[in-house]
C-alpha cells in the first residue's frame, strides 16, 4: 500500500513538474541574447591563434622567411576581414571571445617586437637572447632583420 | 525500494516520450514554454533512472532472488562490493546503467547550456530524449526488463561469473560506458546544427570539449579493459581482437580521426561534410558497440547472449538513425561547402588527412573482421572467425604509419612546407630513428615489426621532445621567463596543442610496450614443492621460481557450498638474477555455485618487464601437491600502462577548463572597442 501511494505521488510530482511551464507560462529562452556566439569573432580568434603559432614557428625555425611572410599576410587578411565584419555587427560589452582575441594580439605583438629587435639571426635563423648583438651560433651581427620584416607599427 | 525503482522505470517512458515531442515542437514553433517543459523532462528522466538503478542495487544487496536478473548474476556468498556492481554485470542491468549514464550526460548538457547556445537546445534535448525513449522501450518491451520476476523465489542465486569477480569490474565497464554515452551529446548538437542550419564554427566549438571528454573515457576504458584481461584472463596477453574489444576500439578510432580533422575545419574551413559524417559515424559505432555487446549475435567473452529480439530492435534503430543522418546531411550539403582547398601535398592539412584515412582504414578492417562470422554465416551457412593474425597483418602496418605521422604532422607547417624546413626539422629525429635501428640490428634483433616499431617510436619521441624544447626556449627568450615558467605558460596558452603532444608521447610509449610482445619468453613445467624452474627474458634477466608450498581453502565436506570460491594458493619464491626478489602467490579457484574454475595469476613487475606466473593445473587427487606452472617473461608490458597514464595526463591538459590566459582587470571592464588604445594593433598594422 505504501509502495502504491509512493508510486502515485512520484508520478503526480513528475507530471506537475514537467507540465507546470505550459500552465504558468514560464519559459526557457530560445535565443542566447548578450552572450551569443559570434562566428566572425570565433574565426578571428582562430586566425589570431594561427598567427601566434606562426610567430612561434618562425622563431623555432620551422618556416622560411618567404613562407612566413606569405602566410602572415594571408592570416592577417583573414583576421582583419573578420574584425571588420565584427565591428559592423554592433558594439556593447566585450565578449569572452573578444578578450581572448585581444590577449592573442598582445602576445603576437610581444613576439613580433622581440623578433624585430633582432633576436632571430638573419643568416642562420638561430633564436638569440634579447639584447644580444651577435648570433650565439654563427657569430654574425644581429639587428639586420629590422628593416626587412614588416613589423608592428611600421 | 525495488518496486519503487520499477515504478520509476515505467513512469520514465511516457515522460521521455513527452519531452522528446515537446522539445522538437517547441523548437520548431518557437514555444518557449514547451522547450522549458522538455528540458525539465531531461532532469526528471535522470532522477527516475537513478531511482531505477537504486532499485536494482537494492534487489542485489537484499538478495531478492525472485527477480530473474538478480538470481542470474548474484548469490548470497558474493561480496557486497560485487553485488553493487551487479547493476552492470548482465545484459539487463547494463542497459539500465547505459541509459542512466546517457540521461546524466543529457542533464549536464542541458544544465550547462541553460543560457548558452539556446537556438540549439530544443533540438539537443529532443534528440537526447528520443535516444532515451528508445532505450526505455527496449528495457520495457524487449524481454530485458531487469525487474522481471521468476514466479518463485529460489533459495540462492546462480552467482557472478568468476572472471567478473575482480576489482576492475567496478572500474572498466563504467569508464567505457561513460565514453560511449558522452558521445551522444556531440551527436545531438550535430543534429541540432543540421536541423537549424547553423553550420558555422559554433557547433564544433560547443562539442569539442564533449568529444574530448568522451575520448578520454573511451581511452581509459579501453586501457582498463586491457589491464583487466591481463590480470584476470590468465594467458599473459591484453588484447585478442575479441568482437567486443573491437566494438570499443571502433568509436575510439573515428573519434580520434575527428579530433584531428576538426582542426582543419577550424583553421581552413574545409572537410565540413567529412567532420559531420565522423560525428554521426562515431555515435553510430557507440550504439553498434551496445548492440554487439548486448545482442549475443557474435560470440565473445563479453556477450550475455540472452535473446535475439533485442538484436533486431537495435538493427532497426541503427538503420533508422543512418537514414535520418544521411537525409539531414544531404539536405544541408549547400551549407557544408568547403571554404578553401589544399594548397600543398607537403602541409599539415595533408598530414591530418592521411591520419584520417588511415584511422578510417583501421576502422573498416576491424568492422570487417568483426562482422566476418556473420557475413560467412549469411552466405555460406557457417560462422568463420578471423583471428588475431588477420587483424595484426592489416592493422600493424597501418598503426606504424599512424605512429610515423604523429611525428611528421606537428612539425610540418600549415598550408605548405618547403624542402628546406623539412630538412632542418627532420634531420635530428630521422638520425635518432636510424641510430636506434642500427643499434637494435647490432644487438642481433631481426624481428621486422619490432625494429620498425622501436625506430619509429624513437623518431616520434625525438620530435615531441624537440618541440617542447624549442617552444620552451623560444618562449623563455622572447618573454624573458625562466625555463619552467616558460614551459608552463607555453602549455597554458595552447593547451590543446601541447596536451596533444603529451598524448602523442603517451601513445609512443604504449606502442613501444606493444612492440615488446615480439620478445615474450615462456616456460611450462610440473613442479612439486621444493623444485624450481628457470627462465631467461629477452632483456637478459635470469628468473628462478622456487615452489615452496600449496595451501587450500577447500571445505571438508565436498558438497558444502558456503563459500563463494575455494582457493588453492601456491607459494613461490622469486629470484631475479640470483637475488631473492620476493614471493608470488598465484591461485587456482573453483566457484562451486557456478561450477567454474579460474586462475589468479602472479605478476612481478619491474620498470622494463613483467614476470607472469600462471598455475595452469593443480593435481587435486594426488598427495604430492603437484602444480603445472607456466611462467612468461613479458618485456615492456609495463610501458603500456605507463603510456596510458601519459595519454590520460595529456588528455586532461587538453580539456582542462579555462584554456584562455587570464584576463587583466582593464580588459574585464565592458568598454567600447574604440576606447582601447592600441587594440588590434598587431593585425591592423599588417599590409
Amino acid at each position: 500500500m505504501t509502495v502504491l501511494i509512493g508510486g502515485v505521488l512520484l508520478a503526480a510530482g513528475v507530471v506537475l513538474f514537467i507540465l507546470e511551464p505550459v500552465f504558468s507560462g514560464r519559459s526557457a529562452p530560445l535565443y542566447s541574447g548578450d552572450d551569443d556566439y559570434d562566428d566572425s569573432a570565433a574565426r578571428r580568434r582562430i586566425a589570431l591563434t594561427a598567427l601566434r603559432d606562426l610567430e612561434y614557428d618562425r622563431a623555432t625555425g620551422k618556416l622560411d622567411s618567404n613562407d612566413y611572410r606569405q602566410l602572415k599576410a594571408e592570416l592577417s587578411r583573414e583576421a582583419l576581414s573578420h574584425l571588420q565584419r565584427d565591428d559592423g555587427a554592433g558594439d556593447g560589452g566585450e565578449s569572452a571571445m573578444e578578450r581572448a582575441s585581444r590577449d592573442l594580439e598582445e602576445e603576437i605583438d610581444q613576439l613580433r617586437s622581440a623578433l624585430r629587435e633582432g633576436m632571430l639571426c638573419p643568416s642562420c635563423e638561430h633564436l638569440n637572447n634579447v639584447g644580444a648583438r651577435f648570433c650565439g651560433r654563427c657569430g654574425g651581427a644581429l639587428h639586420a632583420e629590422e628593416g626587412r620584416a614588416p613589423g608592428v607599427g611600421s | 525500494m525495488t518496486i519503487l525503482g520499477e515504478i520509476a522505470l515505467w513512469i520514465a517512458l511516457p515522460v521521455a516520450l513527452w519531452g522528446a515531442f515537446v522539445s522538437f515542437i517547441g523548437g520548431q514553433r518557437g514555444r518557449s514554454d514547451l522547450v522549458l517543459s522538455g528540458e525539465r523532462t531531461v532532469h526528471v528522466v535522470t532522477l527516475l533512472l537513478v531511482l531505477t538503478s537504486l532499485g536494482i542495487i537494492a534487489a542485489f544487496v537484499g538478495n531478492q532472488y525472485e527477480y530473474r536478473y538478480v538470481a542470474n548474476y548474484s548469490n548470497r556468498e558474493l561480496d557486497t562490493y560485487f553485488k553493487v556492481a551487479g547493476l552492470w554485470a548482465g545484459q539487463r542491468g547494463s542497459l539500465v546503467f547505459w541509459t542512466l549514464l546517457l540521461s546524466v550526460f543529457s542533464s549536464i548538457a542541458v544544465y550547462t547550456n541553460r543560457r548558452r547556445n539556446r537556438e540549439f537546445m530544443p533540438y539537443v534535448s529532443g534528440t537526447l530524449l528520443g535516444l532515451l525513449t528508445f532505450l526505455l522501450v527496449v528495457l520495457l518491451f524487449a524481454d530485458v526488463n531487469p525487474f522481471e520476476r521468476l514466479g518463485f523465489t529460489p533459495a540462492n542465486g546462480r552467482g557472478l561469473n568468476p572472471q567478473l569477480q575482480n576489482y576492475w569490474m567496478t572500474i572498466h565497464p563504467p569508464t567505457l560506458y561513460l565514453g560511449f554515452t558522452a558521445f551522444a551529446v556531440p551527436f545531438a548538437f550535430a543534429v541540432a546544427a543540421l536541423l537549424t542550419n547553423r553550420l558555422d564554427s559554433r557547433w564544433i566549438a560547443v562539442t569539442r570539449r564533449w568529444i574530448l571528454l568522451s575520448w578520454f573515457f573511451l581511452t581509459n576504458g579501453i586501457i582498463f579493459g586491457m589491464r583487466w584481461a591481463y590480470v584476470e584472463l590468465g594467458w599473459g596477453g591484453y588484447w585478442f581482437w575479441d568482437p567486443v574489444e573491437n566494438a570499443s576500439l571502433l568509436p575510439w578510432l573515428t573519434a580520434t580521426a575527428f579530433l584531428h580533422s576538426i582542426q582543419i575545419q577550424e583553421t581552413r574551413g574545409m572537410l565540413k561534410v567529412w567532420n559531420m559524417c565522423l560525428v554521426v559515424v562515431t555515435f553510430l559505432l557507440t550504439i553498434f558497440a551496445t548492440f554487439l555487446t548486448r545482442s549475443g549475435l557474435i560470440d565473445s567473452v563479453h556477450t550475455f547472449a540472452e535473446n535475439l529480439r533485442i538484436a533486431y530492435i537495435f538493427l532497426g534503430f541503427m538503420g533508422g538513425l543512418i537514414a535520418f543522418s544521411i537525409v539531414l546531411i544531404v539536405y544541408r550539403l549547400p551549407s557544408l561547402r568547403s571554404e578553401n582547398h589544399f594548397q600543398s601535398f607537403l602541409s599539415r592539412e595533408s598530414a591530418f588527412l592521411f591520419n584520417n584515412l588511415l584511422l578510417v582504414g583501421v576502422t573498416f578492417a576491424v568492422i570487417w573482421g568483426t562482422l566476418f562470422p556473420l557475413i560467412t554465416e549469411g552466405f555460406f551457412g557457417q560462422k568463420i572467425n578471423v583471428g588475431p593474425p588477420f587483424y595484426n597483418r592489416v592493422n600493424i602496418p597501418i598503426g606504424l604509419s599512424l605512429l610515423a605521422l604523429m611525428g611528421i604532422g606537428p612539425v610540418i607547417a600549415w598550408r605548405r612546407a618547403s624542402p628546406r624546413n623539412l630538412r632542418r626539422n627532420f634531420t635530428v629525429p630521422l638520425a635518432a630513428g636510424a641510430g636506434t635501428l642500427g643499434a637494435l640490428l647490432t644487438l642481433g634483433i631481426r624481428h621486422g615489426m619490432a625494429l620498425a616499431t622501436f625506430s619509429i617510436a624513437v623518431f616520434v619521441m625525438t620530435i615531441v621532445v624537440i618541440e617542447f624544447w624549442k617552444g620552451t626556449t623560444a618562449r623563455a627568450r622572447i618573454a624573458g621567463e625562466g625555463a619552467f615558467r616558460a614551459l608552463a605558460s607555453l602549455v597554458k596558452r595552447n593547451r590543446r596543442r601541447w596536451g596533444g603532444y603529451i598524448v602523442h608521447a603517451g601513445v609512443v610509449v604504449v606502442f613501444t610496450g606493444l612492440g615488446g610482445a615480439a620478445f615474450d619468453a615462456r616456460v611450462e613445467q610440473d613442479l612439486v614443492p621444493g623444485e624450481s624452474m628457470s627462465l631467461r627474458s629477452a632483456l637478459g634477466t635470469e628468473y628462478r621460481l622456487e615452489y615452496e608450498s600449496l595451501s587450500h581453502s577447500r571445505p571438508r565436506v565436498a558438497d558444502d557450498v558456503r563459500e563463494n570460491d575455494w582457493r588453492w594458493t601456491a607459494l613461490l619464491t622469486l629470484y631475479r638474477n640470483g637475488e631473492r626478489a620476493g614471493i608470488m602467490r598465484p591461485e587456482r579457484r573453483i566457484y562451486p555455485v557456478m561450477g567454474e574454475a579460474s586462475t589468479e595469476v602472479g605478476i612481478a613487475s619491474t620498470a622494463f618487464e613483467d614476470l607472469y606466473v600462471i598455475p595452469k593445473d593443480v593435481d587435486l587427487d594426488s598427495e604430492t601437491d603437484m602444480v603445472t606452472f607456466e611462467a612468461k617473461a613479458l618485456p615492456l608490458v609495463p610501458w603500456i600502462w605507463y603510456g596510458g597514464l601519459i595519454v590520460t595526463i595529456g588528455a586532461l591538459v587538453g580539456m582542462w577548463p579555462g584554456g584562455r590566459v587570464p584576463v587583466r582587470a582593464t580588459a574585464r571592464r565592458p568598454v567600447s572597442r574604440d576606447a582601447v588604445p592600441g587594440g588590434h594593433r598587431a593585425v591592423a598594422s599588417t599590409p
Side-chain angles (χ1 to χ4, degrees), chain B residues 376-392:
Chain B
T376 53
E377 193 186 25
F379 285 100
F380 310 109
Q382 195 180 4
K383 276 190 187 183
I384 299 173
N385 286 300
V386 295
F390 162 78
Y391 293 105
N392 290 340

Side-chain angles (χ1 to χ4, degrees), chain A residues 40-66:
Chain A
S40 68
R43 279 157 178 265
R44 194 156 68 88
R45 196 185 61 167
I46 287 163
L48 287 172
T49 310
L51 264 174
R52 191 262 319 262
D53 290 348
L54 189 74
E55 297 299 331
Y56 270 111
D57 282 353
R58 174 77 181 126
T60 53
K62 259 188 229 175
L63 277 171
D64 285 337
S65 47
N66 283 337

Side-chain angles (χ1 to χ4, degrees), chain B residues 209-222:
Chain B
R209 195 158 279 169
W210 276 101
I211 289 169
L212 207 50
L213 183 78
S214 164
W215 187 90
F216 171 79
F217 284 125
L218 277 179
T219 309
N220 275 298
I222 291 170

Side-chain angles (χ1 to χ4, degrees), chain B residues 560-604:
Chain B
D560 185 356
V561 189
R562 272 175 317 193
E563 297 294 323
N564 178 47
D565 52 46
W566 303 331
R567 305 177 179 197
W568 284 262
T569 311
L571 186 69
L572 298 145
T573 309
L574 170 68
Y575 294 89
R576 199 179 276 130
N577 291 328
E579 278 180 40
R580 194 171 180 281
I583 49 171
M584 300 178 84
R585 287 196 186 82
E587 280 181 6
R588 216 37 212 171
R589 291 185 188 171
I590 287 179
Y591 293 79
V593 181
M594 303 284 289
E596 280 191 38
S598 85
T599 306
E600 295 293 309
V601 296
I603 299 173

Side-chain angles (χ1 to χ4, degrees), chain A residues 17-18 20 27 29 32 36-37 39 43 56 61-62 64 71 74 87 94 102 105-106 125 127, chain B residues 3 32 37 40 118 201-202 339 415 418 421 424 467 475 477 664 667 673 676 680-683:
Chain A
F17 183 67
I18 62 173
E20 193 261 349
S27 63
S32 304
D36 197 7
Y37 182 88
D39 188 48
R43 279 157 178 265
Y56 270 111
K62 259 188 229 175
D64 285 337
L71 287 173
E74 281 174 31
D87 276 346
E94 199 182 29
R102 211 152 43 125
E105 281 173 350
E106 278 168 22
E125 296 184 340
L127 188 68
Chain B
I3 295 175
S32 50
S37 175
R40 284 189 175 186
R118 293 306 308 171
S201 54
R202 183 208 290 211
E339 296 162 24
R415 292 169 202 238
S418 69
N421 69 48
R424 188 160 49 195
E467 278 292 288
R475 174 83 206 161
R477 288 189 184 159
R664 278 186 301 275
R673 239 166 283 124
V676 184
H680 317 305
R681 249 182 312 166
V683 174

Side-chain angles (χ1 to χ4, degrees), chain A residues 62-99:
Chain A
K62 259 188 229 175
L63 277 171
D64 285 337
S65 47
N66 283 337
D67 286 345
Y68 164 73
R69 244 169 270 165
Q70 196 175 343
L71 287 173
K72 186 168 125 181
E74 281 174 31
L75 285 169
S76 305
R77 216 177 304 128
E78 214 168 295
L80 206 57
S81 72
H82 291 303
L83 174 64
Q84 283 156 350
R85 254 181 261 165
D86 188 27
D87 276 346
D91 50 1
E94 199 182 29
S95 74
M97 198 85 79
E98 289 163 339
R99 278 203 301 271

Side-chain angles (χ1 to χ4, degrees), chain A residues 12-29:
Chain A
V14 163
V15 169
L16 271 180
F17 183 67
I18 62 173
L19 291 185
E20 193 261 349
V22 181
F23 298 122
S24 72
R26 215 188 291 265
S27 63

